Amino acid sequence: MRLRPRACGRRSRDGKPVGWFLVIDHNGTFEGVIAKMYPQPGDPPNPVCSKCTDDRKDMPWLGIPFIRDMKRNGLVYENGNVLDPRDGNIYKAKMTLSADGQQLTMRGFLGISLFGKDEVWVRLPDNAVAQLDPVIVQKYMPGQATAMTKQPTGKKAAPAPAAAPAPAPAR
């Protein structure tokens, strides 16, 4: 199986990061997982999908596969679905990558694409992986995890720039 993860992100309406995602290629079928979260004060650090009704029921949000079954057609990924872990609802989904590969527009919808909502996620730099939970890196990016553990002693990874993130799938 070929796994080629890519980190993406989105900003909330107030400009603060909400979460980071990994979009993973499973031999032509793409999946997205929540890779980093920025909970608001008073929010649980890693809630579970208690309202999910499928195999994701009671899964922690961190690492949950919330995008499934996307098929690539040029710069468009379609025929998949997106889970809103807040309420357990699953929507049809379509993703469109910008020509420069720096923005991904996620559209979740009911029935037809006309009845949906877009979110624009911004690609994070490759060095942002150093800020992800090590369990997520090990599971979805095992090669990267090995490289991170082999860093020379005394050298720190360059800090990633300010987050450009997300989690709230479209409603």
Side-chain angles (χ1 to χ4, degrees):
M1 175 179 349
R2 187 179 87 201
L3 293 177
R4 290 186 12 210
R6 296 289 180 246
C8 292
R10 180 182 79 79
R11 292 189 182 276
S12 67
R13 287 188 184 142
D14 62 5
K16 293 181 182 173
V18 183
W20 292 358
F21 309 121
L22 289 177
V23 176
I24 301 146
D25 178 353
H26 292 285
N27 294 317
T29 299
F30 292 79
E31 169 183 87
V33 299
I34 298 175
K36 184 176 176 94
M37 297 182 346
Y38 294 86
Q40 297 294 313
D43 285 351
N46 191 11
V48 297
C49 194
S50 59
K51 295 182 180 175
C52 288
T53 58
D54 60 8
D55 62 306
R56 295 170 283 195
K57 177 134 180 87
D58 295 326
M59 281 182 104
W61 287 14
L62 187 63
I64 197 169
F66 76 106
I67 298 170
R68 286 188 168 167
D69 302 324
M70 293 293 210
K71 303 287 190 279
R72 184 175 180 180
N73 182 8
L75 296 176
V76 176
Y77 299 77
E78 51 198 354
N79 300 320
N81 60 74
V82 62
L83 165 74
D84 184 339
R86 297 171 299 181
D87 58 21
N89 288 329
I90 299 172
Y91 301 91
K92 291 182 180 179
K94 175 181 173 180
M95 303 185 305
T96 306
L97 186 63
S98 64
D100 66 2
Q102 297 303 302
Q103 290 188 337
L104 183 72
T105 302
M106 162 59 79
R107 183 160 189 86
F109 55 93
L110 291 170
I112 60 173
S113 184
L114 178 67
F115 301 112
K117 178 183 173 187
D118 286 351
E119 287 188 355
V120 177
W121 301 345
V122 178
R123 184 183 184 111
L124 296 167
D126 289 340
N127 67 355
V129 72
Q131 295 184 38
L132 297 180
D133 184 289
V135 173
I136 300 298
V137 175
Q138 181 62 44
K139 183 173 181 177
Y140 294 103
M141 307 172 77
Q144 190 81 9
T146 303
M148 287 170 63
T149 59
K150 292 184 179 180
Q151 279 189 346
T153 312
K155 277 197 166 184
K156 290 184 176 180
R171 286 191 174 223

